[in-house]
Amino acid sequence: MSRRPMSILALLFFAIPLLAAAAEVPEYELLRDARPDGRSVAVENLEIMRDAHNFEFTSGTFHFLAPASGGRSFGAVFIGEGRYELHPGMESERKHLQIVAGDRNLEVLSDTFDRLVILFTDTTASEIAAGRAVTTGAPSAEASRIYEDYLKQQKAKLQINLHLRLLRDLLGGTPEERGVFLAMLDGRKLAPALIAVDPSGIGNLAAGLAFFGGEESAFISLDEEGGGFWYLAGSGNASHKGKPLKMAVDALHYTVDTTIASNLSIDGATTVTVRPLVAGIRVLPLHILPKLRLREASYVLEGAEPARAAIVQEEVELGRFKRLFQDETGDADAALVFPEALPAGSRIELRLRYEGRDVLRSLGADSYSVRARESWYPNLGTFTDPATYELTFRYPKRNNLVATGALIEEKTEDDQKVSVWRSEGAMRVAGFNFGRFEKASRTDEQSGASIDVYTHRDFRKMSGDSMIDAINASRVATAFFGKHSYQRVSVTQQSEWSFGQSWPTLIYLPTLALTTSTDRAFMLEELGAAVFDVQEFAKMVGWHEIAHQWWGHQVGWQSYRDQWLSEGLAEFTAALVLQMTESTAAYNSYWDRRRQEILENAPRISAADAGPISNGIRLSTRANPRAAQTIIYSKGAWVVQMLRRMMNDPAKENSDALFIAMMRDFVTTWTGKNPATSDFQKIVEKHMAPPMNATGNGSMGYFFNQWVYGTEIPRLTSNLSVSKAGGGKYRIQGTITQAEVSEEFRTIVPIYLDYGKDSIAKLGQMVLVGSSSTPIDVEIALPREPRRVVINAMQDVLTRK
């Protein structure tokens, strides 16, 4: 492949002699090549317990793998009779197991097995051998076959290089009491599954799993139809709240140099400035698209000469199995291995060279899709670890490229364009869009936002609508939440028809949003959606993605259990724009549609019954594949809507003043950081209106336990009447009833006077506890006779109606 001359930056980058593309790592090769070596231990009634997981080895033999460097055992194959049990301590995890296992009466997930592969850096080897004879002889042919089958499953189904996880502990000197335990269960009843207990957090099993954070205990099913995280919890099984990812290294700055060839292949060079947060790091996982192959790696300690870093990255393989975690099959996780431990607290430059395909895909007519938006450059984790960026791109001059950050320079060299983009502050992720675009620009004085809209030539007539949408969303969000960190935003058309996404300063707007209602009608059959759903999505997706400049980028989230703070708040913001640009009636109708979406069965259970918001993306199962999106987005937005209504004060000039103060405080406090749901709760409690204190202790715990960590949705009814009582007074009588909730469930129910002609006034509110009816009989002076007395008139509470 011919190459264009590199920039001065790239030449300096690679002016280091004798850096091998992938140095050998003997310790890793020993792990990868290890097979049963003839050492064995016979056991009876051995029990190994790891957190919520209980293994009973009734009778049989453990066949050890050849030891790691230094003679340390790290794996074994068991052949015999055994039983596995998972004892979920949290009600939400038990219910989730009932759903994924298809057994509504399940209390303990269990299976029996006659073989088991275990890998470990903890005390497992000594537990197996304790008081028992270790015999030696010829390796067991059956044990060898079982282990070979396991390796095929690791590569084809699991797609995680667990040997890299072991290597991190072995080279890093991790003590056994902090070691990892991994078991590949291939039982008689359940589909194959990985049981993992990792003190560093499941998010550290592989770079691609960082999204799942710091919870330590997991059951990952490899079922081709219903696989995924059947169980995920913190050690001790005690809390439904997530844990942050335990970061070993903090990325400070990325310099990324990318050449896009005419055939869309990528040639890249990235320098990452990092600071190790812990001592003993010798293995550093990287997140990168597996089809981008690392070719060279070096590192520079402060005041030292460049040194070589070894590369571990297995080959990508194509397979027939369902892909659980990656775009390709194969355990092709990437990592750097250093010849010595990185000093904690030091400043280090990592220098990487890579090349490959499938970052971009051509869809014809100068239309392209950026497929690897988080992994087109090697990184240490997106969203969890903000850093500054400088991005340089070289690409065919007939095309355009728009990236995150601000455009610093753009020029043409021969048949290439070269553009340089720089972040004005720390960003959670870097990205770009690529194609042939036409640009429109406008600065909105009201919000202060500068907006560029990039559309394909055939869609330029719709760019004005996209500009208006971006301005309206920026104005509403600024009014409610304050200005966001990135005052310039590029709204770019992407060729994905019905999928939008937002990166800092860069919106990927789906083509559907740039079509007319007539054009959309032709796509309904392909999208498999109702006419109204398609029209609503096309209208609101731009607002939602603009809102992510605040929610997800300016303010992040701690773990997958808190992702609703991004998606739910973005969805709520889009609803606010609907109210401000259309009407309160349209706003209320929107919430009624979201209520129906949450409660309808699809196909076996409703999204409401699929689990709490805090279960995040794990909510999507065979029982309801869309549950995660419905609950994270729609119910998450409903939570914020309920808070807004509880804080609404019609006596104030701006009835939303208290809510606005709370939300601006949340943004100011957590800009550039990753809050948990509990952190948002503290901000709510700081600003809560007196009627919200339903338990009398100043805590909103009851609210968050019900709506974020719980699944109950009340049914509220009333039979209130109004009659004249004389002297300008009116008598209001009847009952308000709450049903289908537990005895401690608390709901603040607002009561309204409906005067007709869209004139509604709030009379007050009352707290209902549990499934109960509360009588009302009051006389009150009113300016005129109401037409009726109603509850929940402004979509104040998510109910079953």
Side-chain angles (χ1 to χ4, degrees), residues 227 239 373 398 515 590 666 770:
S239 175
R373 295 182 186 166
R398 62 179 282 121
T515 59
Y590 169 86
F666 182 53

Side-chain angles (χ1 to χ4, degrees), residues 287-405:
H287 186 44
I288 186 172
L289 181 72
K291 285 191 177 179
L292 287 177
R293 309 304 297 174
L294 291 166
R295 300 305 185 196
E296 298 179 9
S298 65
Y299 68 107
V300 183
L301 295 173
E302 292 176 289
E305 293 296 316
R308 183 172 58 188
I311 298 169
V312 174
Q313 188 181 30
E314 297 291 332
E315 292 298 322
V316 176
E317 296 182 6
L318 299 178
R320 60 184 178 85
F321 296 101
K322 180 181 178 181
R323 296 170 291 192
L324 291 179
F325 302 119
Q326 297 181 172
D327 293 331
E328 301 88 12
T329 61
D331 53 349
D333 300 308
L336 303 181
V337 182
F338 304 98
E340 58 185 350
L342 302 181
S346 61
R347 191 179 179 93
I348 300 170
E349 281 191 1
L350 307 177
R351 301 177 175 182
L352 309 167
R353 175 70 181 271
Y354 46 95
E355 60 186 8
R357 298 181 59 86
D358 280 9
V359 168
L360 286 163
R361 182 174 299 174
S362 174
L363 300 178
D366 292 317
S367 179
Y368 306 92
S369 173
V370 183
R371 307 292 293 181
R373 295 182 186 166
E374 294 181 46
S375 55
W376 62 274
Y377 63 101
N379 62 75
L380 299 174
T382 56
F383 294 98
T384 56
D385 188 19
T388 54
Y389 288 84
E390 181 165 316
L391 312 174
T392 300
F393 296 92
R394 305 164 215 287
Y395 49 96
K397 66 180 182 181
R398 62 179 282 121
N399 297 112
N400 306 106
L401 187 144
V402 189
T404 50

Side-chain angles (χ1 to χ4, degrees), residues 82 84 110-116 153 184-193 195 219:
Y84 165 77
S110 63
D111 202 355
T112 58
F113 55 86
D114 58 16
R115 67 194 68 187
L116 187 75
Q153 290 202 69
M184 181 60 72
L185 176 68
D186 195 354
R188 296 186 173 101
K189 180 177 65 174
L190 303 173
I195 293 96
F219 181 102

